[in-house]
Amino acid sequence: MNVLIVYAHPEPRSLNGALKDLAVRHLTARGHEVRVSDLYAMGWKAVADGADFLSHDSGERLTYVRASKDAFADGSQSPDIAAEQKQLLWADAVIFQFPLWWFSMPAILKGWIDRVYAYGFAYGVGVHEGERWGDRYGEGSLTGRRAMLSVTMGGRAPHYSDRGVNGALDDLLFPIQHGILFYPGMDVLPPFAAYQVDRLSEEQWPSVAESFKARMDGLFTDTPIPFRRQNGGHYDSQQVLKSGLGHGASGTRIHLVQPNEPEQLPVPLR
Ligand SMILES: Cc1cc2nc3c(=O)[nH]c(=O)nc-3n(C[C@H](O)[C@H](O)[C@H](O)COP(=O)(O)OP(=O)(O)OC[C@H]3O[C@@H](n4cnc5c(N)ncnc54)[C@H](O)[C@@H]3O)c2cc1C
């Protein structure tokens, strides 16, 4: 299978660099083909602006969404954007390797998403008409692919538990896992999370490495997070969860199919 690692860390000898290298070695040894988008090494341009569109006239007012739509449709996107879209389409699974910086991804990775996720590629896909809100949340250009976050954190695990002061990790990662990965159709695996890593010693590394290897081994077999599919019959015409669903859940967890609920519900014919 084809695995793309999108890697965001400025220092090759970092812990994140070691995890990325381990993933490349381990997955390659298992017979997978692995490619890495090493954003710092590539000098990835993190800011979205008019230079992303070859035919944009810098004197004209920029409407990024419209420019993105036009450039994706007529092939006039900046070549670095088009190349990363190709990488995503090549991949059967995508691993995002990054340190948690201010409760989110490093800016260079956010800038990769902002620019690579073009209109017509990651959003604005499918029919938008009446009560149909396009192909998103479980359907889209990246359907059939798996995605997994591999995140290192300075904070301790209890701080990221349900009642932890930082907020639950699943909640903090919801905008990425649901809003960025599930949105264009990928199946999202639970994250690989390494806590309190600033104090990690060389002696502790082997146990982190073993846990990570186990997750690599489950990349194509582990059960994805059971996010509800937008067009799976769970939401009403205004994309609000239907009454009768989600009881016992609150916050972002309401968007997970609950154990007593079917994955697919009848969708009214239009
Ligand atoms: C701007 C910023 C914002 C941050 N925000 C948050 C936040 O919101 N929440 C939070 O929890 N944390 C936060 N942090 C902390 C951050 O998440 C950690 O510093 C980061 O995850 C550490 O990963 P690293 O790859 O940079 O580790 P490194 O600094 O490279 O390594 C960490 C430790 O691992 C050791 N190590 C053991 N084995 C190896 C090996 N094989 N290879 C390399 N190193 C090894 C190193 O010796 C070192 O002691 C933030 C840090 C910054 C700089």
Side-chain angles (χ1 to χ4, degrees), residues 9 14-16 18 100-103 152 154-155 160 197-198 200 205:
H9 199 289
S14 64
L15 180 63
N16 273 263
L100 197 71
W101 280 1
W102 288 111
F103 301 98
T152 65
Y160 289 100
V197 294
D198 290 324
L200 191 80
W205 161 252

Side-chain angles (χ1 to χ4, degrees), residues 236-266:
D236 68 16
S237 61
Q238 291 307 307
Q239 295 301 302
V240 175
L241 189 63
K242 289 177 178 166
S243 61
L245 295 175
H247 289 293
S250 58
T252 60
R253 287 177 187 77
I254 209 157
H255 300 292
L256 302 176
V257 178
Q258 303 299 306
N260 57 344
E261 295 172 349
E263 206 175 296
Q264 173 80 40
L265 287 163

Side-chain angles (χ1 to χ4, degrees), residues 94-144:
V94 188
I95 297 169
F96 294 84
Q97 180 65 57
F98 61 94
L100 197 71
W101 280 1
W102 288 111
F103 301 98
S104 189
M105 57 178 85
I108 199 168
L109 178 54
K110 179 58 165 50
W112 184 90
I113 300 288
D114 289 345
R115 298 182 60 235
V116 174
Y117 268 39
Y119 188 116
F121 180 76
Y123 67 106
V125 174
V127 175
H128 290 72
E129 202 175 85
E131 295 177 2
R132 177 84 189 184
W133 299 80
D135 299 344
R136 55 176 196 167
Y137 294 119
E139 292 172 350
S141 305
L142 300 181
T143 303

Side-chain angles (χ1 to χ4, degrees), residues 1-246:
M1 303 290 259
N2 296 339
V3 183
L4 174 66
I5 302 174
V6 184
Y7 162 66
H9 199 289
E11 171 55 60
R13 291 158 295 184
S14 64
L15 180 63
N16 273 263
L19 287 166
K20 179 261 294 171
D21 292 343
L22 176 61
V24 173
R25 281 198 309 275
H26 192 70
L27 291 165
T28 305
R30 292 281 190 272
H32 300 297
E33 193 175 329
V34 183
R35 294 183 186 170
V36 179
S37 289
D38 180 342
L39 303 188
Y40 279 94
M42 290 156 68
W44 180 257
K45 171 179 171 285
V47 290
D49 60 21
D52 294 343
F53 315 113
L54 303 183
S55 41
H56 175 67
D57 173 351
S58 59
E60 299 249 314
R61 176 183 169 181
L62 173 68
T63 305
Y64 198 90
V65 170
R66 198 169 59 224
S68 173
K69 180 181 183 182
D70 293 346
F72 179 73
D74 69 15
S76 62
Q77 299 176 109
S78 165
D80 61 341
I81 295 176
E84 292 304 296
Q85 289 167 349
K86 268 195 192 150
Q87 296 274 64
L88 279 170
L89 294 174
W90 166 86
D92 298 302
V94 188
I95 297 169
F96 294 84
Q97 180 65 57
F98 61 94
L100 197 71
W101 280 1
W102 288 111
F103 301 98
S104 189
M105 57 178 85
I108 199 168
L109 178 54
K110 179 58 165 50
W112 184 90
I113 300 288
D114 289 345
R115 298 182 60 235
V116 174
Y117 268 39
Y119 188 116
F121 180 76
Y123 67 106
V125 174
V127 175
H128 290 72
E129 202 175 85
E131 295 177 2
R132 177 84 189 184
W133 299 80
D135 299 344
R136 55 176 196 167
Y137 294 119
E139 292 172 350
S141 305
L142 300 181
T143 303
R145 289 160 184 80
R146 295 187 146 221
M148 189 183 105
L149 302 182
S150 172
V151 194
T152 65
M153 281 157 283
R156 295 167 182 231
H159 300 189
Y160 289 100
S161 64
D162 277 355
R163 293 168 67 86
V165 67
N166 288 347
L169 188 65
D170 286 346
D171 287 334
L172 298 175
L173 297 183
F174 184 81
I176 305 175
Q177 298 189 137
H178 185 261
I180 294 175
L181 304 181
F182 190 58
Y183 191 101
M186 290 193 272
D187 288 326
V188 187
L189 298 180
F192 175 77
Y195 297 99
Q196 213 182 337
V197 294
D198 290 324
R199 291 158 186 256
L200 191 80
S201 64
E202 280 185 26
E203 294 69 39
Q204 291 169 310
W205 161 252
S207 80
V208 174
E210 284 311 307
S211 317
F212 190 51
K213 283 198 263 183
R215 294 302 308 277
M216 296 294 99
D217 289 338
L219 194 55
F220 292 101
T221 50
D222 283 352
T223 305
I225 301 169
F227 289 129
R228 299 179 192 276
R229 293 174 41 237
Q230 170 184 277
N231 298 321
H234 294 226
Y235 297 96
D236 68 16
S237 61
Q238 291 307 307
Q239 295 301 302
V240 175
L241 189 63
K242 289 177 178 166
S243 61
L245 295 175

